[in-house]
């Protein structure tokens, strides 16, 4: 069997959520849970791999909204409060379970993880950014950027100024935080439409990721079947996600995370224990939430659950890592038989899947990186390394509309639950373009006012609001955020139509959304 290449790509993204006017805010927990359960433990494991001299490679995209929140001093303070609260709960759980040996073992582990996560974060001065930079400088990770607010770009193809604004602010935020330009651009939701490659190329982007069926639905016949880099008409390169291999992890029905021995996500003491006990650790007024203290295994589909067994799970993780590598190797052999030497496997996942949704996922990832790095036939690589390797074949294709959403196109972000939002967002974009024509060169206060208008339009474009509506989860919050951003934009539009500035409103709006400080409203100017 010839050598095979593996691109393991993680995408870390959360919508911009910041509500510091409240003592605690439910949706801010999305950030704190991800920090404690995914991002911090991920970099603890990568740090350990570096210290063990493991030759690993990993590609990670951090969205601009997430990067902004990670560097927000107020949110860091509130994360400390979140960790203090959960460490206190951990100590209380150790006391409560003193007579229950099985669950006590788990409570002690959860408390230890909380304390060690916070210690690691504190040792790194409450910021993961320097650590990320170091690992990038050491050649272990490659960084990608993405759209400013993770907008699903195919639904804005008629508004090129808005697409360019998303790309430009995504690039500039990355540059401001990391100090260099990214070569790769993560397409939000793997959403692509013909011509997007040309726009990305104009901004110096060299590659992006594509959904698995992009080569099947391509206008041209593919000879690489997604296992060699794709060059699009503009010269932009695409790495096609392997659906079959990624589904071994991605699927919550048949993938590894569905194994009956793994931890049950939904059985949490935030819902199981009496309010008299859990009330100080949930949200007011008596809003039950996940606390991270979970004591049961998946077991089966009924409510009868076994206690989660750490020793059994350690062996299961090793079994699944071996099975994962086996499937990659077996597929590489099959691809070789088709005449494709040195296939490239592109394995793309949401970073929050590991640790947060799939508790054992980070242990799996660490063990996978260790084992694959020891395989002489495997090349655990990075996208830029693949593109610079002249021995790896590439093919030119014209890619049609595609995404990694259900159905393969735009169904998730444009259905009966959310289609109403686009006429309002599109109108806001048109009005923003109008403002740039009418006020082409404003300075000082009016420029700040117009900059805030463009900021509100970008935040309204986030794909998260449409997805939440489709998924029927935090719908009230998503609708409120969308209406607030569009309403805020209309405050600027109506005021500027009268050639006036609402200074008091502007100061409050700027403090509310501390994102994109470098923004220039003329990013929405039509050429």
């Amino acid at each position: 069997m010839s050598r095979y290449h593996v691109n393991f790509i993680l995408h870390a993204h959360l919508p911009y959520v910041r509500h510091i006017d409240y003592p605690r805010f439910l949706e801010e927990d999305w950030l704190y849970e991800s920090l404690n359960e995914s991002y911090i433990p991920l970099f603890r494991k990568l740090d350990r791999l570096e210290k063990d001299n493991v030759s690993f490679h990993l590609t990670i995209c951090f969205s601009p909204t997430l990067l902004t929140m990670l560097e927000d001093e107020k949110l860091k303070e509130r994360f400390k409060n979140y960790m203090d609260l959960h460490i206190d709960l951990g100590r209380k759980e150790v006391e409560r379970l003193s007579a229950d040996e099985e669950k006590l073992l788990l409570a002690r582990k959860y408390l230890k993880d909380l304390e060690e996560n916070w210690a690691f974060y504190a040792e790194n001065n409450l910021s993961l950014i320097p650590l990320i930079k170091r690992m990038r400088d050491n050649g272990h990770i490659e960084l990608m950027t993405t759209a400013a607010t993770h907008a699903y770009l195919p639904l804005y193809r008629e508004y090129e100024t808005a697409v360019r604004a998303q790309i430009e602010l995504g690039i500039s935020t990355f540059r401001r935080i990391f100090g260099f330009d990214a070569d790769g651009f993560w397409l939000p939701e793997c959403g692509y439409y013909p011509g997007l490659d040309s726009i990305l190329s104009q901004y110096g982007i060299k590659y992006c990721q594509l959904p698995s069926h992009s080569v099947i639905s391509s206008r041209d016949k593919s000879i690489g079947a997604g296992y060699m880099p794709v060059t699009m008409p503009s010269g932009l390169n695409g790495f096609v996600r392997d659906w079959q291999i990624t589904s071994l992890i991605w699927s919550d029905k048949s993938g590894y995370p569905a194994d009956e021995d793994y931890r049950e996500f939904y059985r949490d003491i935030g819902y199981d224990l009496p309010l008299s006990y859990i009330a100080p650790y949930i949200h007011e007024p008596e809003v039950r939430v996940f606390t991270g203290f979970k004591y049961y295994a998946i077991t089966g589909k009924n409510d009868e659950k076994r206690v989660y067994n750490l020793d059994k799970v350690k062996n299961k993780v090793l079994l699944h890592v071996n099975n994962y590598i086996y499937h990659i190797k077996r597929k590489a052999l099959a691809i070789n038989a088709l005449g494709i030497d040195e296939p490239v496997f592109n394995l793309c996942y949401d970073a929050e899947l590991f640790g947060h949704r799939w508790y054992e996922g980070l242990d799996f990832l660490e063990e996978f990186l260790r084992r694959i790095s020891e395989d002489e036939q495997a090349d655990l690589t990075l996208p830029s390394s693949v593109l610079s390797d002249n021995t790896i074949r590439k093919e030119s294709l014209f890619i049609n509309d595609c995404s990694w959403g259900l159905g393969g196109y735009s169904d998730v972000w444009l259905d009966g639950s959310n289609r109403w939002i686009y006429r309002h967002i599109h109108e806001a974009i048109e009005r923003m373009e109008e403002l740039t024509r009418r006020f082409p060169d404003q300075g000082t206060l009016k420029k700040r006012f117009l900059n805030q208008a463009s900021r509100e339009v970008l935040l309204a474009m986030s794909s998260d609001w449409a997805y939440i509506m489709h998924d029927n989860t935090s719908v009230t919050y998503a609708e409120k955020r969308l209406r607030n951003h569009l309403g805020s934009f209309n405050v600027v539009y109506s005021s500027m139509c009268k050639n006036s500035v609402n200074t008091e409103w502007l100061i409050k709006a700027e403090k509310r959304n501390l994102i994109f400080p470098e923004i220039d409203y003329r990013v929405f100017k039509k050429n």
Side-chain angles (χ1 to χ4, degrees):
M1 184 176 76
S2 64
R3 187 173 60 148
Y4 63 92
H5 309 271
V6 177
N7 272 328
F8 205 101
I9 305 174
L10 295 179
H11 175 50
H13 164 69
L14 292 171
Y16 186 71
V17 177
R18 184 179 188 272
H19 298 279
I20 61 171
D21 291 340
Y22 297 83
R24 292 179 66 197
F25 200 88
L26 180 62
E27 284 75 15
E28 275 187 11
D29 282 2
W30 297 345
L31 172 64
Y32 309 143
E33 288 172 358
S34 296
L35 265 168
N36 178 52
E37 297 171 15
S38 290
Y39 308 146
I40 293 173
L42 168 63
F43 281 95
R44 284 179 60 197
K45 289 183 179 296
L46 296 183
D47 185 59
R48 183 160 60 220
L49 289 173
E50 277 197 335
K51 289 174 179 175
D52 291 348
N53 295 314
V54 176
S55 180
F56 72 93
H57 293 105
L58 190 64
T59 303
I60 310 178
C61 171
F62 291 93
S63 72
T65 49
L66 175 58
L67 285 174
T68 301
M69 292 189 292
L70 290 178
E71 290 299 277
D72 188 299
E73 294 301 324
K74 288 289 185 182
L75 293 179
K76 289 180 183 180
E77 291 175 13
R78 290 159 78 88
F79 176 55
K80 183 182 186 305
N81 295 338
Y82 173 93
M83 293 297 283
D84 287 345
L85 190 69
H86 284 73
I87 288 171
D88 181 66
L89 176 58
R91 290 168 180 159
K92 193 172 178 180
E93 279 294 278
V94 168
E95 182 179 342
R96 180 179 74 88
L97 297 168
S98 58
D100 188 332
E101 188 174 338
E102 282 186 291
K103 291 181 181 177
L104 178 61
L105 186 67
L106 292 168
R108 283 175 173 163
K109 182 183 187 305
Y110 295 151
L111 176 58
K112 183 171 181 283
D113 288 344
L114 282 161
E115 291 174 336
E116 291 183 352
N117 282 345
W118 177 254
F120 182 83
Y121 188 60
E123 287 166 10
N124 284 277
N125 299 314
L126 309 187
S127 177
L128 295 176
I129 304 301
L131 188 63
I132 295 167
K133 287 181 179 178
R134 188 197 80 201
M135 291 184 180
R136 183 258 180 182
D137 292 342
N138 290 345
H140 286 131
I141 66 174
E142 183 160 301
L143 298 173
M144 300 172 67
T145 189
T146 186
T149 60
H150 207 261
Y152 180 67
L153 300 178
L155 295 180
Y156 297 100
R157 75 183 73 200
E158 302 300 325
Y159 299 92
E160 188 174 313
T161 59
V163 172
R164 287 182 176 274
Q166 285 282 341
I167 295 169
E168 191 168 315
L169 267 297
I171 290 171
S172 64
T173 300
F174 182 97
R175 182 190 303 126
R176 172 169 49 82
I177 290 176
F178 289 114
F180 63 94
D181 287 333
D183 289 334
F185 188 95
W186 178 279
L187 298 176
E189 319 297 358
C190 284
Y192 177 84
Y193 65 89
L196 182 56
D197 61 309
S198 178
I199 299 174
L200 288 168
S201 293
Q202 290 169 32
Y203 284 95
I205 297 297
K206 294 182 175 61
Y207 68 86
C208 64
Q209 94 292 4
L210 292 168
S212 54
H213 65 285
S214 60
V215 291
I216 301 172
S217 61
S218 168
R219 189 178 68 183
D220 310 305
K221 182 178 180 180
S222 171
I223 60 170
Y227 296 98
M228 57 177 68
V230 169
T231 302
M232 289 172 269
S234 68
L236 181 74
N237 297 285
F239 290 92
V240 180
R241 174 176 174 253
D242 184 300
W243 181 84
Q244 183 185 29
I245 301 297
T246 53
S247 292
L248 293 171
I249 292 175
W250 196 263
S251 174
D252 60 357
K253 301 290 190 298
S254 59
Y256 305 137
D259 189 282
E260 65 178 22
D261 290 330
Y262 285 152
R263 195 179 75 166
E264 171 61 63
F265 179 79
Y266 293 101
R267 286 294 301 272
D268 188 291
I269 66 169
Y271 294 89
D272 287 353
L273 295 186
L275 278 172
S276 58
Y277 177 86
I278 204 68
Y281 307 99
I282 61 175
H283 284 261
E284 297 179 354
E286 299 183 350
V287 178
R288 289 183 177 270
V289 295
F290 292 115
T291 65
F293 287 83
K294 308 169 196 281
Y295 298 110
Y296 296 98
I298 293 171
T299 311
K301 294 184 178 180
N302 55 35
D303 291 335
E304 295 298 319
K305 304 292 183 182
R306 297 191 304 269
V307 175
Y308 183 60
N309 187 304
L310 290 170
D311 290 332
K312 184 182 290 188
V313 161
K314 287 177 184 176
N315 294 327
K316 190 58 68 76
V317 167
L318 295 178
L319 178 68
H320 284 155
V321 168
N322 289 334
N323 182 261
Y324 192 63
I325 295 173
Y326 162 76
H327 276 283
I328 296 173
K329 285 187 170 185
R330 189 178 71 167
K331 197 162 190 180
L333 280 170
I335 296 167
N336 288 160
L338 297 175
I340 302 172
D341 295 327
E342 300 197 29
V344 181
F345 292 87
N346 304 299
L347 310 176
C348 308
Y349 300 97
D350 286 340
E352 298 79 20
L353 171 63
F354 296 85
H356 174 58
R357 292 292 303 188
W358 180 25
Y359 179 65
E360 301 79 11
L362 288 171
D363 291 332
F364 175 96
L365 179 58
E366 179 182 11
E367 191 61 30
F368 170 75
L369 293 176
R370 288 181 184 276
R371 298 210 172 187
I372 200 76
S373 66
E374 297 169 354
D375 190 326
E376 293 182 357
Q377 291 176 315
D379 173 32
L380 183 60
T381 188
L382 302 168
S384 60
S385 300
V386 171
L387 295 178
S388 63
D389 189 339
N390 294 326
T391 67
I392 300 175
R393 295 167 62 192
K394 302 174 182 65
E395 64 173 335
S396 297
L397 294 177
F398 183 95
I399 302 297
N400 288 309
D401 284 61
C402 52
S403 83
W404 73 357
L406 185 66
Y409 298 98
S410 300
D411 303 34
V412 170
W413 301 276
L414 183 63
D415 70 0
S417 70
N418 54 36
R419 64 187 179 188
W420 63 272
I421 73 177
Y422 292 101
R423 65 179 181 272
H424 300 293
I425 300 174
H426 290 171
E427 184 177 4
I429 293 169
E430 291 170 0
R431 287 184 167 186
M432 191 66 233
E433 292 172 345
E434 176 195 333
L435 290 174
T436 64
R437 290 193 304 271
R438 292 173 60 185
F439 305 97
D441 191 25
Q442 296 299 305
T444 60
L445 195 59
K446 281 187 178 178
K447 183 178 181 182
R448 282 172 53 195
F449 206 37
L450 290 163
N451 286 347
Q452 187 60 34
S454 60
R455 195 175 282 119
E456 301 290 354
V457 173
L458 290 172
L459 288 165
M461 290 174 67
S462 169
S463 68
D464 300 281
W465 315 137
Y467 180 82
I468 288 170
M469 293 173 199
H470 167 84
D471 213 34
N472 196 29
T473 50
S474 303
V475 176
T476 302
Y477 178 74
E479 289 181 348
K480 185 176 180 180
R481 282 291 302 272
L482 186 67
R483 294 179 193 278
N484 285 348
H485 291 307
L486 292 173
S488 294
F489 168 78
N490 285 327
V491 168
V492 178
Y493 181 78
S494 59
S495 295
M496 289 302 292
C497 285
K498 301 171 187 174
N499 202 24
S500 65
V501 175
N502 187 331
T503 308
E504 183 180 355
W505 177 91
L506 174 61
I507 292 170
K508 290 179 180 178
E510 288 176 331
K511 288 182 178 179
R512 183 170 58 247
N513 295 317
L514 293 178
I515 191 169
F516 311 134
E518 70 274 31
I519 199 169
D520 186 325
Y521 71 95
R522 287 165 291 197
V523 73
F524 279 93
K525 182 180 179 181
K526 276 190 171 182
N527 293 327

